[in-house]
Amino acid sequence: MSSLIRSPSRSLVESTGQKASSNVETRGLPAWPVLAALWGYPLWWALGLLPFAQVIMAIPMLAFLIMRRRILFVPGILPWVCFVAWMIPSALMADEVGRLMGLGVRFSQFFALAIMMIYIVNARSSLTPERILNSLTFIWAFVIVGGYLGMFFPEVKLTMTIGQLLPSALATNDYISDLVFPPLAEIQTPWGAAEPFLRPSAPFAYTNGWGCAIAVLTPIAITTALGHRTARSMWFLLVGLVAAIPPAIATTNRGLWIGLAGAVIYIVIRLALRGHWLAFAWSALLGIAATIILLLSGFLDGIMERQETVDTTAGRGSLYAETFERTLSSPILGYGAPRPSFSSEIYVGTQGAIWNAMFCFGFVGLALFVIALLSGAFRTIDAPNLSTLWLHTSVVVTCGLAIFYGLDRQLVFVGVALALMLREKYFDDSPYWTPNPIPFAQVPRGA
């Protein structure tokens, strides 16, 4: 196996951290497996296959990598591989077939993400920064459209999907049903509410997934516009930001606004430290405008109204405490999958990727997952230009959101962005990872 894994320089990049020379640039891997997973987002969703898109497309990626027989690694990829490997012994702790199947689905998703990240590193010629960022920005736009679908048709579910082929025992499971028969909105009817809360969620099963996706993808959309540096790209970004406001308000999703506010604050601080005052001013104005819209929109009133009937803050706090206490009983391997709570209808090991990693895979799995996220953020902290700085910010935002959100679908966006940044950083001839990047349209094909 070691003969199949080589570094792009004399010494292994994974161990030295040195940049790779351009004379060993990898060629020959087609772009379509990754682009099909990203540009095909609407189709995957319409078929009820969105949770399995990366898994399906990882099959040809793995086949191409094996046939190539020379796989390059860069720093920051290995922690993800180690986390995936640690999920395997944790399977011993699953006490039911259903939970073992759930772990199998989750393992396949993380395994596929690791394959996708390795593939992006090795497909540098075909998967250029422009192609990757364009596809992620397309998903951002589609998520915004999905928010409007949830606002206008909140009670609709997609029924002509792959779910029609599943056995009734699986299709009637609430969680699986939401995945393969995706709803357009999450309808919550808590006791004491004057009327149901209609919260857009499409193309995700839950509203938190929609809010998390917007928080992660918006910095990437800004990255793309800055990479193109054209009037058309800037107008597209502006229209998208304005269009995202109504569905974002309708979700009453606190994490969405916390994530976006954190991104702007982080960018403003970084720009001030670098002395980039013009970019600092524009970013600060963006943050002020968003704050004014938030205050005038009634969004805070919607949050307070929902909080009065559903105290999600206190509920999460008690659930997190129970998650930690029960993990102490199985600190090494965890429990393999979430388990019913002793005091809540919500399962322990949910409501946050960090808590899921800790409960399901023990403190070892938690450490590996945290290292994978934080090492990616720290390795890209030296982003040399405004475009890469916004892309790096998407990873920083994800580190915070991981405390509250499961990141089931959204981690793919972060993994793709992180693999792109690590690849461009550790290859010394990148036209993108440089203080003065070339606009995408001017980059020679294959560079």
Side-chain angles (χ1 to χ4, degrees), residues 149-168:
L149 292 176
M151 291 175 63
F152 296 145
F153 311 102
E155 297 183 357
V156 172
K157 271 192 173 187
L158 302 186
T159 56
M160 301 305 294
T161 68
I162 193 67
Q164 296 285 354
L165 304 179
L166 293 180
S168 59

Side-chain angles (χ1 to χ4, degrees), residues 65-148:
L65 286 171
I66 292 174
M67 288 189 295
R68 194 176 180 283
R69 300 186 59 81
R70 189 167 182 269
I71 303 173
L72 310 184
F73 278 85
V74 293
I77 299 295
L78 187 58
W80 293 96
V81 177
C82 291
F83 175 67
V84 173
W86 187 254
M87 296 175 74
I88 298 175
S90 293
L92 297 173
M93 305 304 293
D95 62 343
E96 293 181 2
V97 175
R99 290 180 183 139
L100 185 61
M101 291 176 60
L103 174 60
V105 171
R106 194 158 184 80
F107 171 79
S108 66
Q109 292 172 338
F110 273 95
F111 179 77
L113 176 58
I115 294 298
M116 183 179 292
M117 295 175 72
I118 296 171
Y119 193 91
I120 289 172
V121 169
N122 285 266
R124 191 179 181 209
S125 295
S126 57
L127 286 170
T128 62
E130 178 184 12
R131 300 184 80 175
I132 292 175
L133 293 174
N134 283 349
S135 61
L136 290 175
T137 302
F138 167 76
I139 295 177
W140 173 71
F142 177 65
V143 171
I144 295 172
V145 172
Y148 280 96

Side-chain angles (χ1 to χ4, degrees), residues 12-26:
L12 186 64
V13 171
E14 191 66 59
S15 61
T16 65
Q18 295 177 351
K19 289 192 174 186
S21 173
S22 61
N23 62 359
V24 290
E25 158 63 358
T26 61

Side-chain angles (χ1 to χ4, degrees), residues 178-198:
D178 285 339
L179 295 181
V180 298
F181 299 116
L184 298 187
E186 189 176 355
I187 302 176
Q188 297 178 337
T189 54
W191 184 86
E195 55 185 20
F197 294 107
L198 306 178

